[in-house]
Amino acid sequence: MYLASDNTGPIHPQIMEALTEANQGYALPYGNDPFTHRAVTAIRELFEAPQAEVFFVPTGTSGNALALSTLCQPYQSVLCTPVAHIHEDECGAPEFYGVGKTYLVGEGDLMDPDALAVLLRELAEGGVHTAQPGAVSITSVTERGQVYEIDRIQSIATIAHSAGLPLHLDGARFANAAAALECTPAEMSWQAGVDVVTFGGTKSGCMGVEAVIFFNSDRARGFAPRRKRAGHLFSKNRFLAAQMLGYVKNDLWRTLGAAANARGQYLAEAMCMDMRIQWPYAPRANMLFPKLPRSVLQNLATSGVAFNNWGNRDIGSPDEMLLTRFVCDWSIPYQDLDQFLAVLRTA
């Protein structure tokens, strides 16, 4: 019962078919192939952004870090929440690739526009002695399973733009967020004020590919050489592009995001009936963050359930409530979810 991550699942057959097609014969390297050109066009059409600059990278970390380093000078900072993936889980990659540092906005999982405005005023008072703001970054679905509503994205974008800062969206689970909001990619990105988005495929049925999309071509200057210098320009780029072609064909991306969300909500509805469980974060998509007694989690682990302890300590009483992460991918069978729920009831 694999509920630790949506990285645990298989590649979708349609994406495997696209890879097989790309594996026939020969093609020019480094993105000069027809698959890359077709994939760029497909992304532009999907986002209703015919002038967007589109680049393919193999991982979300490389996409986020290279995008942010393109937006920022070395003396500038990125503003994000305390639990943002770029801050907690990317091993300093944005700083490694050239971002000066990271400033944390507020204390919550979702960025508070008012807290952002306050921090920007404080940083402006620091003058030359303070790392200057360079960009604002948000994540949807967030690291606690929350989804940014369109109006919140718009509010954050307005404040960022008023300070002359671009807004970056970490969309590792873009499909899950768009499915939850029942909106188009354009509505959740550039129409809401997002300047750059990392459109993720790895967590949603692909082998490993993300599309970094700059809606203003001027902001993309420098990304291509940074990608090359960082070692993330694939010589056989067609195999990244082919995955993205399979992913967007017939709106597969949305189908898979909705399928993962449906499984997550199926679990959440059943688990909400269990009085032992607390919910500090309301489940919105495919990631659940309940608090369970330590003894229950220990029994789940010994019963073959793979989940994420989310940094819990190894000490404490059996009834101590611990924050835990359960994630559903698009492919996990409902019988596995039922099996998990049966184990949970007796744990």
Side-chain angles (χ1 to χ4, degrees):
M1 292 166 280
Y2 286 93
L3 295 170
S5 172
D6 36 12
N7 287 317
T8 61
I11 303 169
H12 190 275
Q14 183 169 301
I15 295 167
M16 290 296 289
E17 291 173 6
L19 283 166
T20 300
E21 179 186 351
N23 199 39
Q24 306 304 309
Y26 298 84
L28 291 172
Y30 303 112
N32 297 303
D33 59 274
F35 296 95
T36 298
H37 295 312
R38 285 166 49 200
V40 168
T41 298
I43 292 295
R44 287 171 174 167
E45 292 176 351
L46 178 65
F47 279 82
E48 305 172 52
Q51 303 303 317
E53 295 287 345
V54 181
F55 305 89
F56 301 115
V57 293
T59 69
T61 294
S62 62
N64 290 334
L66 292 172
L68 291 169
S69 68
T70 302
L71 297 175
C72 296
Q73 296 294 326
Y75 55 83
Q76 291 182 317
S77 59
V78 174
L79 285 66
C80 65
T81 70
V83 297
H85 199 269
I86 60 171
H87 173 66
E88 281 199 333
D89 298 293
E90 295 187 358
C91 199
E95 292 85 350
F96 178 79
Y97 284 116
V99 175
K101 66 175 297 182
T102 300
Y103 283 118
L104 305 182
V105 181
E107 299 178 352
D109 175 42
L110 290 166
M111 185 178 290
D112 180 358
D114 293 335
L116 174 63
V118 169
L119 179 58
L120 285 172
R121 286 195 296 269
E122 293 174 350
L123 293 176
E125 295 171 357
V128 72
H129 303 286
T130 302
Q132 303 298 303
V136 177
S137 179
I138 58 176
T139 307
S140 195
V141 177
T142 73
E143 296 307 303
R144 295 296 183 270
Q146 304 301 288
V147 176
Y148 278 89
E149 301 292 342
I150 300 297
D151 58 354
R152 186 186 286 251
I153 298 176
Q154 292 172 333
S155 297
I156 292 170
T158 297
I159 293 169
H161 293 162
S162 66
L165 305 179
L167 177 61
H168 163 260
L169 173 62
D170 177 350
R173 295 182 175 90
F174 189 99
N176 305 96
L181 293 174
E182 298 182 344
C183 68
T184 68
E187 289 170 339
M188 205 177 93
S189 58
W190 65 269
Q191 290 182 4
V194 172
D195 298 284
V196 184
V197 62
T198 304
F199 178 59
T202 306
K203 288 178 167 57
S204 189
C206 293
M207 178 184 292
V209 65
E210 321 283 313
V212 182
I213 308 165
F214 291 82
F215 298 108
N216 183 332
S217 59
D218 289 340
R219 295 202 182 277
R221 292 176 182 172
F223 185 93
R226 279 181 169 86
R227 180 178 58 165
K228 173 63 176 178
R229 183 173 181 261
H232 290 292
L233 173 61
F234 272 30
S235 57
K236 295 184 178 181
N237 198 72
R238 69 184 186 273
F239 293 109
L240 292 182
Q243 292 179 68
M244 196 56 69
L245 279 171
Y247 188 49
V248 303
K249 182 179 178 181
N250 298 325
D251 274 344
L252 177 65
W253 68 277
R254 183 181 290 277
T255 299
L256 298 184
N261 287 0
R263 287 159 170 77
Q265 295 307 303
Y266 179 83
L267 269 193
E269 290 174 9
M271 293 174 69
C272 282
M273 304 300 291
D274 192 327
M275 294 298 102
R276 298 170 298 174
I277 299 176
Q278 300 173 3
W279 294 94
Y281 305 96
R284 289 293 310 277
N286 67 322
M287 291 200 296
L288 283 61
F289 286 85
K291 279 189 172 182
L292 291 93
R294 179 183 296 276
S295 58
V296 172
L297 295 177
Q298 290 171 340
N299 288 336
L300 289 177
T302 57
S303 299
V305 179
F307 58 90
N308 195 306
N309 276 307
W310 216 245
N312 295 323
R313 299 165 297 149
D314 291 331
I315 59 175
S317 63
D319 58 349
E320 180 184 5
M321 300 296 289
L322 302 179
L323 184 66
T324 310
R325 188 183 80 164
F326 299 96
V327 189
C328 294
D329 93 310
W330 63 274
S331 67
I332 187 168
Y334 278 94
Q335 54 263 38
D336 284 10
L337 301 182
D338 289 334
Q339 183 182 358
F340 161 73
L341 292 171
V343 171
L344 177 62
R345 283 192 291 270
T346 59

